[in-house]
Amino acid sequence: AQKVTQAQTEISVVEKEDVTLDCVYETRDTTYYLFWYKQPPSGELVFLIRRNSFDEQNEISGRYSWNFQKSTSSFNFTITASQVVDSAVYFCALSEAWGRRGKLIFGQGTELSVKP
Amino acid sequence: EAGVAQSPRYKIIEKRQSVAFWCNPISGHATLYWYQQILGQGPKLLIQFQNNGVVDDSQLPKDRFSAERLKGVDSTLKIQPAKLEDSAVYLCASSPEGNTIYFGEGSWLTVV
């Protein structure tokens, strides 16, 4: 069965600190997609990144970076020089590539609080 | 480009009453999803439509929940009768071909 685990329930940092959000997944599929979403207090899930299982290159987008390691089934998310606006709940998610295409399996979420 | 629109944003009802949520996906997106997010948890898929056909409703409590997507565009999710444990945020999402799913702001339901 597919499963996503975000072991960190809450993280609190001070502005300008770097912070890494952990994500570990389980799947028997050889082809799959991994996602990160941000959920601010307004409730909308904001898409941040999608990574397919054949692409293990790390990605950087501004202050955000992602480290995908198939060997450890992890897809971790780092925010460099955190800002108060980064405060939100962050979800890691997994989807199958075939069959029930697009169905997302979410982790429990990590609530990030960035204090000024 | 307009995002996924949902209404109402907030609803409070008594148990055993009924409620309906409406969703308008991003224009041109063939796939539409309804997710349920209970406080403190990640969203869970209730139902997935491809155009106006159901792809996956395996986790939809069919004795009280129903959903339709007439004409393959807008969708309505109904709960009747509501239970206390249905208190949650109901998120509508849509996607074009490919696996990136875009979410609306959600409809927050409180059952008292």
Side-chain angles (χ1 to χ4, degrees), chain A residues 43-78:
Chain A
E44 181 179 359
L45 279 164
V46 178
F47 167 76
L48 296 178
I49 189 171
R50 181 184 83 186
R51 173 66 68 211
N52 76 53
S53 53
F54 296 111
D55 182 2
E56 287 193 71
Q57 275 196 329
N58 292 330
E59 180 154 341
I60 298 175
S61 175
R63 295 184 297 107
Y64 296 169
S65 62
W66 291 269
N67 180 271
F68 176 30
Q69 293 195 345
K70 286 181 76 171
S71 61
T72 56
S73 297
S74 65
F75 186 44
N76 296 337
F77 172 32
T78 297

Side-chain angles (χ1 to χ4, degrees), chain B residues 7-8 11 13 18-22 34 76-79 107 109:
Chain B
S7 68
K11 192 75 176 179
I13 62 172
S18 63
V19 63
F21 300 115
W22 171 83
W34 283 101
T76 302
L77 175 70
K78 296 180 181 178
I79 307 173
S107 292
L109 174 65

